[in-house]
Amino acid sequence: MPTAAAHTTAAASPTPARAFGRYQLRRLLGKSEATMSWLADDAQAGHEVMLTLPRVAPAGAGAIASWLATARRAARLDHPGLARVLECNVHEQWPFVVVDRRAGVTLDEWLAEHARPAIDEAALWVEDLLRALAFAHDAGIVHLDPQFHTLLVNERGQLSVMALSVAHEGVPAAAANVRDNDRAMPLDPSMLRAQRSAAERDVLACGLLLHRLLAGEPALGVADTGKVIERLAPLGREFVRLPWTTPQPIPEALRAIVNRSTAGQVRLRYRNARTFLGALNGWREAVSDDDGGPVALLLDRLRTVGHLPSLPGLGARVQRVTAIESQRTDEIAAHLLPDLALSFELLRTINTAQVQGTQISGNGPVLTLRRVVALIGVNGVRLAANSLREWPGPLDETGAKALLAAIDRVRLAGHTAQALRPAGYDGEVVYLIAALQNLGRLMLRYHFAEEAEQIQQLMQPAPATAAGPEQPGLDEAGASYAVLGVDVETFGFAVARHWGLGEEILHMIRRLPLEAPVRKPDGDAELLRIVASAANEIVDIASHVPARKMSAAFTHVAQRYSRVLRINTRAIVDALQEAKDVLRKGGAAPAGRSAGKGEDAEAAVEGPRGDPVPAAAELPPAS
């Protein structure tokens, strides 16, 4: 990469320099409505510098004094992502800040001389920008005009920020108790609100800059982020989304992050630099390493706090049902199944042992607790129970309540799958497949409780108001990408793979994509995946869709699955109600559908290949 000095020599303007105090202004580096940056010579120091000034000079001595106080507070900040300020001063009523040219070239200059940056390089630049702004915002300082001409790229390709608060004109830059000249500023609620609003504007500008880097052109055809912001909600009615025809293919996760940063609904945008940074960093680390970013953090937490905490009273239940070793394994399993933490631990233990070849080498995946109990005995069950963290683990009361609600939804999905399963298929198997399809959601609720709540909020629709109709929220994948940089399905798959579960199980626990057609299965494993996916879609509708839209949503599910499962809307409603009754009463599992039950036609339920469904207590051995 060329040095700043080499760049200057190559691109210097032939126009004569203009005197500005002791500086000689040589060339305009860039401008917006709020600021302008100049390349200049410092006659006193004998080297090149960059001056940034407001486009409109503050009116009056008081405004100038306020500008200087704010700029000098900003200049005192020390962070690797903030260009060091050499001077804050005023010349003929024009305030300015000075940065050494050796800090880098402006992003405008860099882009003029280089090929388009790679996607990950652009993301890394904006991470640098957000990291620096987060530090400044924590100190009560805002930028007010993030633009390509206020961002510098050094010889190592690292980005830094200059001109903090240069655009300041009557906007408080300190949140509270900031000292200037040894005088403490009093806490002022209006100052706090103004500071928060200005910080959110900075974050929105960062989204517009990332949009420009990825799209190859500025949003709305306007390079000035300030002008674009004026045209977006709540001030304007236009919206900004990444086009599908970008110079480089944009990964779905990154697209969701960028689109959230400039969302038309203000409530969906990133409210602070750290949440935006967390999503970008999570995406970039995840794509650079299959087990990187949030996935790596999740796997680390599995080692410290376990996958899930046991439900209250587990120890007493295990002691009671295993005290008499002569009990049938199915009776023991029926008492253990409601505790998802223990169920997952038992499946992990036995299937990991199988993969390692230490216990049941040569057999297929184990997907019933009764077989686990038969293989490891009651002492193995006790050891598994004792390895779990007690409820609620590290969660506070709010987090524990949310996790318990999530567990109840997963159990409801399991019982719904049992009620929907075709005749001859094992109820415990389909229950556990439906539960494992929610593994990532449960991990999210337990290990990333705050992020889970953010995702939930992003998925909620905004109610209709006098100003407009109801506005939809994000879908689950988009909300997950926008918060974590990865989706919840990736979480579940990473944990299952970490446990050593086989490829057949890994395939079954992936839900069918909502937009994909449901095709006739080519085997028992695929049919189980389909039944579990249908059950989870039904419970999602029952949990999140408004009552007035629920019937239409159930009808859509029935149409999606009718060809394979022979179900109609009535069968879905009956299965859901039966599952709710079982969950509420804690009774036996739903019996499943007999031939003809809940069908539009009177034909018997067909197996996955058009043959009568065989008895399937367990899956066949993996090939």
Side-chain angles (χ1 to χ4, degrees):
M1 178 178 294
T3 63
H7 187 285
T8 301
T9 302
S13 170
T15 58
R18 293 161 44 190
F20 186 81
R22 77 168 193 262
Y23 301 102
Q24 296 292 316
L25 303 181
R26 293 175 50 190
R27 178 164 56 88
L28 183 66
L29 296 174
K31 65 180 180 179
S32 65
E33 269 196 333
T35 62
M36 53 184 169
S37 295
W38 288 83
L39 178 66
D41 288 324
D42 184 347
Q44 180 176 310
H47 59 73
E48 291 180 330
V49 295
M50 292 172 286
L51 274 69
T52 307
L53 305 82
R55 287 291 300 278
V56 178
I64 291 176
S66 174
W67 189 99
L68 277 175
T70 301
R72 286 169 178 168
R73 278 197 297 271
R76 287 199 292 265
L77 297 181
D78 185 12
H79 186 273
L82 297 175
R84 189 170 69 88
V85 175
L86 300 179
E87 181 182 4
C88 294
N89 218 324
V90 178
H91 174 69
E92 295 180 352
Q93 307 303 310
W94 282 97
F96 62 92
V97 297
V98 181
V99 170
D100 195 322
R101 176 62 164 175
R102 289 169 292 188
V105 298
T106 68
L107 192 49
D108 274 324
E109 292 177 294
W110 192 98
L111 292 172
E113 288 203 349
H114 293 77
R116 183 177 295 107
I119 287 174
D120 58 345
E121 184 176 23
L124 188 58
W125 279 344
V126 176
E127 283 184 45
D128 290 341
L129 169 58
L130 289 166
R131 197 172 287 111
L133 289 180
F135 179 82
H137 293 169
D138 288 346
I141 301 294
V142 289
H143 191 289
L144 299 172
D145 196 38
Q147 306 280 359
F148 277 9
H149 70 267
T150 63
L151 304 179
L152 304 176
V153 181
N154 65 18
E155 295 177 353
R156 297 183 299 277
Q158 298 167 327
L159 184 138
S160 60
V161 184
M162 69 175 181
L164 280 177
S165 294
V166 168
H168 165 68
E169 186 178 357
V171 178
N177 298 326
V178 178
R179 292 185 176 272
D180 183 52
N181 296 329
D182 297 324
R183 291 179 299 171
M185 297 179 64
L187 182 66
D188 184 348
S190 64
M191 181 185 294
L192 288 170
R193 287 191 295 271
Q195 158 68 18
R196 189 178 301 114
S197 176
E200 290 176 8
R201 183 184 174 97
D202 279 355
V203 175
L204 176 55
C206 292
L208 293 171
L209 294 176
L210 181 55
H211 178 284
R212 180 178 174 184
L213 288 169
L214 297 178
E217 57 185 18
L220 305 182
V222 179
D224 187 338
T225 58
K227 288 184 178 179
V228 178
I229 289 173
E230 297 298 319
R231 294 166 61 176
L232 303 181
L235 302 174
R237 296 186 176 182
E238 298 198 58
F239 64 91
V240 170
R241 293 180 67 82
L242 271 177
W244 292 105
T245 54
T246 53
Q248 305 172 77
I250 307 297
E252 183 182 355
L254 181 58
R255 181 177 293 275
I257 292 169
V258 178
N259 285 341
R260 181 192 172 187
S261 70
T262 62
Q265 299 182 48
V266 176
R267 68 184 185 89
L268 297 180
R269 296 175 189 160
Y270 296 103
R271 306 306 294 270
N272 61 72
R274 294 197 187 280
T275 54
F276 193 173
L277 173 62
L280 265 184
N281 185 254
W283 167 77
R284 193 175 51 78
E285 291 190 1
V287 296
S288 64
D289 181 352
D290 287 342
D291 289 330
V295 173
L297 183 57
L298 171 62
L299 297 182
D300 182 65
R301 291 179 181 178
L302 288 181
R303 302 181 187 99
T304 57
V305 297
H307 52 270
L308 286 174
S310 62
L311 292 178
L314 173 64
R317 291 196 303 277
V318 171
Q319 183 66 30
R320 184 169 60 253
V321 300
T322 61
I324 305 175
E325 297 198 16
S326 60
Q327 284 190 93
R328 292 168 45 186
T329 56
D330 58 343
E331 293 175 346
I332 295 176
H335 285 88
L336 304 180
L337 196 62
D339 194 306
L340 290 180
L342 180 57
S343 298
F344 291 161
E345 179 63 18
L346 291 171
L347 291 177
R348 183 199 67 80
T349 299
I350 202 68
N351 284 287
T352 301
Q354 172 192 346
V355 171
Q356 295 172 346
T358 59
Q359 288 191 21
I360 51 176
S361 179
N363 292 327
V366 177
L367 280 172
T368 61
L369 296 192
R370 61 178 181 275
R371 190 176 178 199
V372 176
V373 174
L375 288 168
I376 68 175
V378 293
N379 285 332
V381 172
R382 292 192 190 101
L383 288 173
N386 290 337
S387 70
L388 299 174
R389 289 284 294 265
E390 293 185 1
W391 184 269
L395 294 177
D396 58 18
E397 183 178 351
T398 300
K401 184 177 179 180
L403 176 60
L404 189 58
I407 289 173
D408 283 344
R409 283 194 295 273
V410 172
R411 291 178 59 201
L412 180 63
H415 290 315
T416 303
Q418 289 176 321
L420 289 174
R421 76 187 190 278
Y425 280 86
D426 188 276
E428 192 177 327
V429 173
V430 74
Y431 176 95
L432 289 171
I433 292 298
L436 285 168
Q437 286 186 349
N438 290 282
L439 184 58
R441 294 161 184 83
L442 293 171
M443 296 299 103
L444 180 68
R445 269 293 171 192
Y446 183 48
H447 295 284
F448 296 89
E450 183 177 337
E451 289 84 352
E453 193 57 37
Q454 290 180 39
I455 291 170
Q456 192 65 37
Q457 291 300 319
L458 289 176
M459 293 172 62
Q460 298 300 319
T465 64
E470 178 182 275
Q471 296 177 319
L474 301 180
D475 61 22
E476 183 183 56
S480 300
Y481 288 142
V483 173
L484 292 165
V486 298
D487 66 342
V488 293
E489 296 289 353
T490 299
F491 267 12
F493 189 80
V495 172
R497 190 177 59 182
H498 176 71
W499 287 347
L501 302 186
E503 290 299 322
E504 193 168 18
I505 298 179
L506 293 178
H507 173 73
M508 286 189 291
I509 67 175
R510 282 191 181 276
R511 289 194 192 183
L512 294 178
L514 293 176
E515 66 280 2
V518 180
R519 304 187 184 280
K520 206 163 189 178
D522 57 5
D524 290 344
E526 185 64 18
L527 182 61
L528 289 169
R529 180 192 181 204
I530 291 172
V531 174
S533 297
N536 277 305
E537 287 182 36
I538 292 166
V539 171
D540 284 348
I541 290 170
S543 302
H544 304 301
V545 174
R548 68 183 185 280
K549 299 181 179 180
M550 199 172 292
S551 177
F554 283 153
T555 298
H556 175 71
V557 173
Q559 291 170 347
R560 257 171 61 80
Y561 290 93
S562 60
R563 185 165 175 263
V564 174
L565 300 182
R566 299 292 195 268
I567 57 174
N568 57 17
T569 307
R570 182 72 261 167
I572 286 176
V573 173
D574 289 346
L576 182 61
Q577 187 57 53
E578 188 176 355
K580 289 180 177 179
D581 291 341
V582 171
L583 187 62
R584 182 175 63 253
K585 297 175 182 177
R593 293 182 295 122
S594 59
K597 179 181 177 182
E599 298 173 5
D600 292 321
E602 294 183 359
V605 177
E606 292 182 337
R609 299 180 184 84
D611 303 317
V613 176
E618 289 288 347
L619 293 174
S623 56

